[in-house]
Amino acid sequence: MHRIIAAVLAAGACASSSQAQTEQTAAAMPVLTLAEAIDRSGASSPFRDVAAAGIRAAEAQRRLAGLRPNPSIVGEAENVAGTGLYRGLRSSETTLGLALPVERGGKRGARIAVADAQIGRAGLQAEIARADLRLRVTQTYTAAAAAQRRVSIAEDQVGIAAEVLRAARVRVQAGRASPLEEQRADVARIAAAGTLERARRSAAVASDNLARLVGVPVGRLDGGWFDAVPSVGPSRSMTPSASLTVAAARADLDTATAQVRLARSQRVPDLTVSASARRLEQTNDVAAVFGISIPLNVFNNGRASIALAEAQREQSDARRRVALLDAEQDVATAQAEAENAATTARNAAGPALAAATEAARIARIGYREGKFGQLDLLDAERTLLETRTAAIDALSAHHDAQARLERLTAAAPLSKDDHR
């Protein structure tokens, strides 16, 4: 039995030592700021690689759209393998020439216009990927910073619970309190230790998630940035019409408009001109042969394709208007959430936190001196814990809403026409 107890104590000591070493290693690492995290995430991010590949694909499509149709080699042999005079190759006529398709109706220019619109859309998609990555890193950084702050609060609560337990034992040993107070204090200490264990585990997961995005191990985070509470001021004017989301919808409309032009150009039939040389076997003479072919738009005259393209353009235009409406609503909602969270954070981290801290300090002193009961002390400690937790939750909500607001109002890059 003694060996089992000794083994359990040794395992606990090893676990505590390993955890202490991990915390010391994390504390020795330099502070990772949000700006550094965003820069590191952009250096090697698969999200940006996807957008870059999309741009390369659109550029390749543009080169493909500018190519002209390939010519064809035409070869024919007539009056062969027949009967009588046409037996064998005695009367054969061999023709060898070149056929060249000639596009009409501006098909090549229409294809190039579609490809140019797709290149612009791919460029916007790359900007959207960068903005989404920035939002993701900011939200992950906020979650990791909040988790580290909760660990700090949990560690304080463990120390406070241990101090309350010691005070309760002194009171019980002195005969000034019931043994129930010592048991209640011990339960509070065990609960605080469990809370600390869960907080450390959550902080480790949050740090690992951030490390996966930035590509480096994560130690301490910028607590000053997390604790910064914005001051009260007038709301900034937002312009959702210039945001990336609306610009992407506008680019889709441009592509659909170019598709209408391409569909209209398809109605004009192409020509195929050919020039050949024919050799007559009987006289060994050579004659030139010229030809031209024009398809007849009898069964498919292209009107259905134009109707389809126009309907898709109308759909894209409707989606653009919906995107603008959604952007305005989302910006207003995110702005209100950010301001509400900032108000809550100012109250929780300001006068309310100061009052709760002072009340808990007085309750601890009064409890040690026998002026306050244990329930009064536990109530003051619980109020302090709730206030500190509310401050962390409010700061997290504010940073998250602010990050979403910046993503919603991220301005689209100016096009070449805008620069002119």
Side-chain angles (χ1 to χ4, degrees):
M1 186 66 181
H2 294 288
R3 293 179 180 178
I4 296 176
I5 296 175
V8 171
L9 293 176
C14 292
S16 301
S17 177
S18 176
Q19 186 174 7
Q21 290 178 357
T22 303
E23 293 177 354
Q24 290 176 359
T25 302
M29 298 177 64
V31 176
L32 178 66
T33 63
L34 177 60
E36 293 173 349
I38 293 175
D39 291 340
R40 290 181 179 274
S41 64
S44 59
S45 172
F47 305 100
R48 297 184 64 173
D49 293 342
V50 171
I55 293 178
R56 293 195 301 271
E59 291 174 348
Q61 184 67 29
R62 169 62 175 80
R63 294 191 297 270
L64 181 62
L67 299 178
R68 299 182 184 276
N70 291 322
S72 302
I73 296 178
V74 179
E76 295 181 355
E78 300 180 10
N79 302 331
V80 296
T83 60
L85 182 62
Y86 301 103
R87 180 178 300 173
L89 302 176
R90 289 180 296 178
S91 300
S92 66
E93 296 180 0
T94 305
T95 304
L96 183 63
L98 188 69
L100 178 65
V102 179
E103 289 185 317
R104 301 173 62 240
K107 293 183 179 63
R108 180 170 175 268
R111 289 197 307 270
I112 292 175
V114 173
D116 288 339
Q118 291 174 346
I119 288 177
R121 182 63 174 84
L124 280 174
Q125 190 61 41
E127 294 294 332
I128 291 173
R130 281 189 282 269
D132 289 342
L133 179 60
R134 181 183 181 89
L135 171 62
R136 186 166 184 168
V137 172
T138 303
Q139 290 177 331
T140 307
Y141 188 95
T142 299
Q148 289 186 358
R149 189 53 50 87
R150 291 189 178 94
V151 170
S152 178
I153 292 177
E155 290 174 347
D156 293 342
Q157 290 301 122
V158 169
I160 292 172
E163 180 64 25
V164 171
L165 178 59
R166 284 192 294 270
R169 286 174 178 171
V170 171
R171 287 166 58 91
V172 170
Q173 291 175 359
R176 294 185 298 169
S178 168
L180 182 60
E181 290 193 6
E182 182 178 356
Q183 295 297 327
R184 190 184 292 122
D186 193 22
V187 170
R189 179 191 62 79
I190 294 174
T195 301
L196 176 59
E197 181 181 354
R198 292 191 296 270
R200 284 174 172 170
R201 189 177 296 111
S202 299
V205 172
S207 297
D208 290 342
N209 290 336
L210 181 59
R212 293 186 183 96
L213 289 176
V214 301
V216 295
V218 174
R220 295 178 298 163
L221 301 180
D222 189 0
W225 170 84
F226 182 79
D227 293 334
V229 181
S231 58
V232 181
S235 301
R236 295 184 304 165
S237 59
M238 304 295 180
T239 55
S241 59
S243 63
L244 285 171
T245 304
V246 178
R250 193 181 301 116
D252 291 336
L253 176 59
D254 295 339
T255 303
T257 303
Q259 291 286 359
V260 172
R261 176 186 170 187
L262 179 60
R264 288 174 178 170
S265 68
Q266 298 293 334
R267 291 199 64 191
V268 181
D270 296 335
L271 302 178
T272 301
V273 295
S274 60
S276 307
R278 174 172 294 179
R279 177 180 175 276
L280 306 177
E281 183 67 23
Q282 290 182 347
T283 61
N284 199 26
D285 293 330
V286 177
V289 179
F290 298 97
I292 184 171
S293 63
I294 304 176
L296 299 178
N297 296 337
V298 177
F299 302 107
N300 182 10
N301 57 10
R303 292 180 180 177
S305 298
I306 294 176
L308 174 61
E310 289 178 345
Q312 291 175 343
R313 180 180 62 181
E314 293 176 0
Q315 185 182 41
S316 297
D317 186 41
R319 286 176 176 172
R320 178 190 60 83
R321 297 195 301 270
V322 170
L324 179 59
L325 180 62
D326 290 343
E328 292 174 348
Q329 293 179 347
D330 293 341
V331 166
T333 301
Q335 191 170 12
E337 290 178 355
E339 293 174 356
N340 290 339
T343 301
T344 304
R346 281 192 296 269
N347 294 334
L353 181 59
T357 302
E358 181 63 17
R361 187 187 67 85
I362 294 174
R364 294 187 203 110
I365 297 175
Y367 178 72
R368 286 195 299 266
E369 296 179 355
K371 297 179 180 180
F372 296 137
Q374 189 184 41
L375 295 180
D376 296 331
L377 174 61
L378 294 178
D379 183 68
E381 295 292 355
R382 182 171 56 253
T383 301
L384 176 59
L385 176 61
E386 292 175 352
T387 304
R388 297 179 71 180
T389 303
I392 293 176
D393 294 340
L395 287 171
S396 298
H398 169 72
H399 290 306
D400 182 80
Q402 192 66 31
R404 289 187 286 109
L405 184 61
E406 291 178 359
R407 167 62 184 87
L408 291 171
T409 57
L414 296 177
S415 63
K416 295 180 179 179
D417 295 337
D418 295 332
H419 282 297
R420 292 195 213 124

